[in-house]
Amino acid sequence: MAAGHECVLAADGERALELLAAGSFDVIVLDPAMPLHDGWPVLAAAGSTPVVAVTGAAARLGDGRVAACLTKPMDSAALVAAVAGVLDR
């Protein structure tokens, strides 16, 4: 589904942390269950960048650092809508 966003992908938490250290992003889509480093260090490194979490453990994300949360499995339309909602804030 094309939504007009430029995406940068990280295959694991280590790469996500490298990307966050090297640049800025409008929104981060994060699965907290990533290999190498889980998503918690990535969430902490996101700072004020809004985060859309895609997870099977949504109840654990109620601490206010996540702008939107999608529970797996989800479809691409739900992801596009969540990103749009976060960017429109």
Side-chain angles (χ1 to χ4, degrees):
M1 169 181 262
H5 303 292
E6 180 181 340
C7 297
V8 178
L9 302 176
D12 55 54
E14 185 174 309
R15 180 67 179 141
L17 289 170
E18 291 170 358
L19 289 167
L20 282 171
S24 64
F25 298 89
D26 296 325
V27 65
I28 297 167
V29 177
L30 173 68
D31 182 342
M34 293 186 295
L36 297 183
H37 292 291
D38 65 20
W40 302 114
V42 177
L43 184 59
S48 63
T49 304
V51 173
V52 175
V54 179
T55 179
R60 293 182 50 203
L61 299 175
D63 65 359
R65 292 184 291 170
V66 174
C69 187
L70 299 172
T71 303
K72 295 181 203 174
M74 55 90 200
D75 59 26
S76 59
L79 178 58
V80 169
V83 169
V86 168
L87 290 175
D88 285 342
R89 291 182 185 169

